[in-house]
Amino acid sequence: GPGERGGSAVVDMAGPELQLGVGWAGFENSIESISKLPQDLFAEVCQQIMLYLQCRTPGVNTLELAERLQNAGVELDVETTKEIVHVISLIFSRAAAQSSMSAEELVTKLAGSSSKWSKQALQAIRHVWNEQGKLVVTAEDAKHMLTVGQLVDLQWKLGMAMSSDGCRSLNYLYVTMVLKVANPSGEIIRRSFEMTIPQFQNFSKQFRELAAVLEMV
């Protein structure tokens, strides 16, 4: 239901009615935050979410989105940005479960769910839904989708420890791996870890073996 967290924004589309804000205290706060956004920036947020729900992007990078909003003068932190993305994803995905729902019907239901919706926000939602709502993946389609994370980017860099921390000696070479992964809810998360040179060499060897296997498929 709307109060559940941690589920997939794509998979969590079941339900015969678009019931929003029921039993979810954070819903009203998210709407207030949305109302602080200029209409063009909120439309951009909706567009990014729509691309994800259409399976055209692996997820929504909430960290980059928060930085984009802050650079535009909007004082919203990463957690608040995540809440906004969660709310709009839920709205679009629940609406997609009702294939006949028009943009006007969606906006009317939203306006009835809370008095805190701004006219500009509802106009942005109406426009985005009217243009692309029919392309959102439905619950039936989502049943066939994997619910595992998707690798977005992988980077590595070679480093050298210049001071001892008790775990490794001076001038100790190591490799830092940086992964960007889109989790099933669409959020893009960043993870980094260090590997010793032998570990990295073994890691690289396994990838070469995998590549050799794929060439024979």
Side-chain angles (χ1 to χ4, degrees):
E4 295 175 354
R5 305 306 311 278
S8 169
V10 171
V11 176
D12 187 17
M13 293 190 290
E17 297 180 357
L18 187 70
Q19 298 177 341
L20 299 169
V22 180
W24 185 6
F27 180 73
E28 293 286 331
N29 294 334
S30 295
I31 297 176
E32 287 186 357
S33 299
I34 288 171
S35 298
K36 297 177 183 178
L37 300 177
Q39 189 176 30
D40 59 334
L41 286 180
F42 179 57
E44 182 180 325
V45 172
C46 290
Q47 178 67 24
Q48 288 193 34
I49 296 169
M50 188 64 75
L51 289 174
Y52 163 63
L53 293 176
Q54 294 170 3
C55 298
R56 294 168 62 184
T57 60
V60 179
N61 192 323
T62 51
L63 179 59
E64 291 183 0
L65 185 57
E67 292 177 351
R68 166 84 172 87
L69 296 176
Q70 290 171 4
N71 291 337
V74 180
E75 295 299 325
L76 293 180
D77 57 25
V78 176
E79 288 304 315
T80 303
T81 304
K82 287 181 180 180
E83 289 286 350
I84 291 175
V85 170
H86 181 77
V87 166
I88 301 304
S89 297
L90 182 62
I91 289 171
F92 285 156
S93 57
R94 286 291 174 88
Q98 303 179 55
S99 58
S100 61
M101 179 174 288
S102 67
E104 196 59 41
E105 288 174 326
L106 173 59
V107 169
T108 299
K109 284 182 177 291
L110 290 176
S113 70
S114 173
S115 61
K116 295 183 178 181
W117 282 105
S118 67
K119 180 180 179 181
Q120 291 77 12
L122 292 177
Q123 286 176 340
I125 289 175
R126 178 191 290 112
H127 175 74
V128 173
W129 182 256
N130 189 54
E131 292 290 323
Q132 303 187 48
K134 292 182 180 180
L135 299 177
V136 174
V137 175
T138 63
E140 191 63 31
D141 295 328
K143 291 179 181 178
H144 305 291
M145 297 173 63
L146 292 175
T147 57
V148 297
Q150 179 178 345
L151 181 65
V152 177
D153 188 33
L154 184 152
Q155 298 178 357
W156 65 273
K157 62 180 180 179
L158 185 65
M160 178 178 291
M162 301 305 294
S163 61
S164 176
D165 57 6
C167 297
R168 56 190 181 206
S169 59
L170 295 174
N171 301 326
Y172 183 98
L173 287 173
Y174 62 94
V175 176
T176 299
M177 303 291 295
V178 181
L179 306 177
K180 282 187 179 180
V181 178
N183 64 23
S185 67
E187 178 188 356
I188 296 180
I189 56 178
R190 184 175 180 271
R191 293 286 183 266
S192 61
F193 57 93
E194 293 181 1
M195 305 175 73
T196 64
I197 297 302
Q199 286 176 328
F200 182 73
Q201 290 173 333
N202 183 57
F203 181 75
S204 176
K205 177 175 177 290
Q206 292 183 54
F207 266 88
R208 289 196 299 270
E209 292 174 351
L210 175 60
V213 171
L214 290 176
E215 288 179 356
M216 295 185 292
V217 174

